[in-house]
Amino acid sequence: MKAYRAALLRFDANRQPLYDTNGLLVVGDDGRIADVGNWQALRERYAQVPTEHLPGRILAPGFVDMHIHYPQTDVIGSPADGLLPWLQNYTFPHESRFADAQHAGEAADFFIEELLRNGVTSALVFSTSHVASVDALFSLAEMRGLRLITGKCLQDRFCPEGVLDDTEQGLRDSETLIQRWHGRGRLGYAITPRFAPTSTDAQLAGAGELARQYPDVWIQSHVAENLAEVRWVAELFPQARSYLSVYDDFGLMRERAVYAHCIHFDDTDRALMRDKRTAAAVCPTSNLFLGSGFFDYDALARQPFLHGLASDVGGGTSFSPFHTMLAAYYAGREGLTKGGLSLPPAELWWQHTAGAAQALGLGGVVGNLAVGCEADFIVLDPAATPLLARRTGQASNLDELLFAMIVLGDDRLVERTVIAQVA
């Protein structure tokens, strides 16, 4: 057992922030949080427990990234006219290299280091269509003790040689990978059709059958990101009511299913997300970069469904959750002209921690500093840069403190990332 004394940020069951300026976080021998609260109230109970005192620091839940592509680390910042040209010109050529296990391993190692450097302790990740890419990422995540979910991309049409998948072999490989990795330590598998246009009906039907056979695995894909893509889906699947309903028609909407973007929805789509308990991974930096549009937070407030924040590297422009939260704030503000809202800083933080964990079906497991949660947390230094120190030092309440860190923060704000040593 070990304890940490510092300021503490966590969330209650109603999404409200709890903040102790002088808190104590107690981690049990099993790697889970044994107790948490005000240091004065807990000090006598844990007087004999080794305690690390971190004055001037804030302990916060490790961030949860709901959608990120590890093979796209090297295409961040590649210029593009939009989503579909960007895929053809940059993404697919880079992903073809992941057939090589050595390259996949090197990229996976760098990717995990970037996650941890930016305070991300849990992630739902896209690999490529190559088995080697999945094995490489899982192997390194297991070695580091991360809670990480990934899967092999299924894409059996409209992709160049080098990343094109075989329909039946891709499904067989996916099942083999499920049996090899899912539930091993803190690892989970995600059935991963890239997006509806790049899978035939046969592949989507096979993915749906895998989802039925393995109800505790995750499902991940993209939906309604870009208007040109939405039109393409309408041409390819004329019988479907909407882009989103394509996935439902093939049995790919349920709990533990996560769809990135969810921008160009109508209220029927939103109701379907709610009724199926399917989650949206909101990717604001990617949507801004590729000019895809803005996630409709105003509509979400009217008709809520599971959601959380995601970096979407490499369409997304940063691994930093602070950059992602700030971009989400911009997206919410954009809707103000249509009756939108200004997202409170604590809400933004919740969407990238406890809310994202809840959307993944991992509420009470990660994403919060609550008794029983796995002890993934970050040590923040609110004086990490001169401007941060000046601004946070003048914060008169929690909202001002959190918002200053969102607006001015980056990887320098994360002094240390601690991964639970779960027994």
Side-chain angles (χ1 to χ4, degrees):
M1 185 172 281
K2 183 175 180 180
Y4 301 83
R5 180 184 171 190
L8 292 177
L9 173 66
R10 52 204 168 100
F11 295 89
D12 67 15
N14 297 313
R15 301 166 58 156
Q16 296 305 303
L18 303 172
Y19 189 67
D20 294 293
T21 56
N22 186 12
L24 191 72
L25 179 71
V26 184
V27 179
D29 293 335
D30 61 357
R32 293 174 173 83
I33 296 171
D35 212 343
V36 61
N38 181 268
W39 177 74
Q40 292 286 358
L42 298 176
R43 59 184 297 188
E44 290 187 12
R45 190 183 311 172
Y46 298 103
Q48 302 308 311
V49 174
T51 300
E52 184 176 355
H53 188 199
L54 297 162
R57 303 301 187 264
I58 301 168
L59 305 186
F63 289 107
V64 179
D65 194 329
M66 287 187 64
H67 179 75
I68 184 169
H69 297 251
Y70 101 87
Q72 294 180 17
T73 302
D74 292 334
V75 301
I76 294 175
S78 300
D81 294 328
L83 170 65
L84 299 179
W86 181 79
L87 288 172
Q88 293 295 333
N89 295 333
Y90 294 102
T91 302
F92 289 147
H94 275 80
E95 289 192 3
S96 67
R97 301 175 63 194
F98 283 76
D100 179 72
Q102 182 176 349
H103 175 77
E106 291 170 352
D109 185 57
F110 183 87
F111 172 80
I112 287 174
E113 288 299 323
E114 278 298 291
L115 290 181
L116 295 175
R117 195 167 62 81
N118 284 279
V120 177
T121 55
S122 298
L124 175 61
V125 185
F126 261 63
S127 294
T128 70
S129 55
H130 312 101
V131 171
S133 74
V134 183
D135 283 335
L137 186 59
F138 270 140
S139 295
L140 286 163
E142 182 179 48
M143 189 183 308
R144 301 298 296 271
L146 285 174
R147 182 163 284 284
L148 186 138
I149 306 158
T150 193
K152 166 190 153 46
C153 251
L154 298 169
Q155 46 189 44
D156 64 348
R157 65 174 177 177
F158 301 129
C159 295
E161 290 297 326
V163 296
L164 188 67
D165 201 20
D166 177 79
T167 306
E168 292 302 323
Q169 188 61 48
L171 293 167
R172 285 194 294 268
D173 288 342
S174 296
E175 185 164 26
T176 299
L177 288 162
I178 290 169
Q179 294 169 352
R180 182 182 304 158
W181 292 110
H182 183 68
R184 184 163 146 178
R186 304 179 76 199
L187 305 177
Y189 193 84
I191 299 164
T192 307
R194 184 181 206 105
F195 66 150
T198 51
S199 286
T200 59
D201 285 18
Q203 190 172 69
L204 289 171
E209 178 59 22
L210 279 177
R212 188 191 65 78
Q213 291 179 35
Y214 298 94
D216 64 331
V217 304
W218 281 264
I219 300 164
Q220 63 174 343
S221 193
H222 304 81
V223 69
E225 177 180 0
N226 174 279
L227 286 172
E229 167 207 15
V230 172
R231 289 191 292 269
W232 190 20
V233 170
E235 294 169 2
L236 294 171
F237 301 92
Q239 78 287 356
R241 192 206 71 82
S242 70
Y243 188 165
L244 180 67
S245 72
V246 171
Y247 296 112
D248 190 41
D249 292 343
F250 287 103
L252 291 167
M253 289 187 69
R254 58 159 168 80
E255 290 189 59
R256 292 197 169 193
V258 177
Y259 287 91
H261 305 293
C262 303
I263 298 172
H264 304 289
F265 271 8
D266 59 22
D267 280 349
T268 303
D269 289 325
R270 296 181 184 97
L272 183 61
M273 293 286 285
R274 179 199 63 215
D275 294 344
K276 295 289 185 175
R277 291 196 58 77
T278 294
V282 182
C283 308
T285 71
S286 171
N287 298 336
L288 286 164
F289 176 69
L290 292 171
S292 299
F294 296 91
F295 182 79
D296 194 338
Y297 275 107
D298 185 43
L300 181 72
R302 296 193 320 266
Q303 196 164 17
F305 52 87
L306 292 167
H307 65 286
L309 286 172
S311 67
D312 194 22
V313 164
T317 53
S318 177
F319 279 81
S320 173
F322 303 104
H323 291 189
T324 301
M325 290 188 285
L326 181 56
Y329 176 77
Y330 292 153
R333 294 287 292 184
E334 189 276 340
L336 282 174
T337 58
K338 303 189 292 289
L341 67 162
S342 181
L343 293 167
E347 168 67 18
L348 291 165
W349 214 290
W350 180 87
Q351 287 184 33
H352 223 335
T353 55
Q358 181 185 87
L360 287 172
L362 293 171
V365 179
V366 294
N368 207 356
L369 302 185
V371 172
C373 281
E374 296 169 350
D376 292 334
F377 63 92
I378 53 178
V379 180
L380 300 174
D381 177 8
T385 70
L387 184 55
L388 260 172
R390 185 178 179 88
R391 184 64 191 89
T392 58
Q394 297 178 50
S396 61
N397 55 50
L398 180 59
D399 272 356
E400 289 186 5
L401 174 64
L402 295 180
F403 200 52
M405 290 192 288
I406 288 170
V407 173
L408 300 173
D410 54 29
D411 56 291
R412 293 169 293 179
L413 180 52
V414 182
E415 185 172 270
R416 192 195 319 174
T417 300
V418 178
I419 297 296
Q421 302 301 307
V422 176

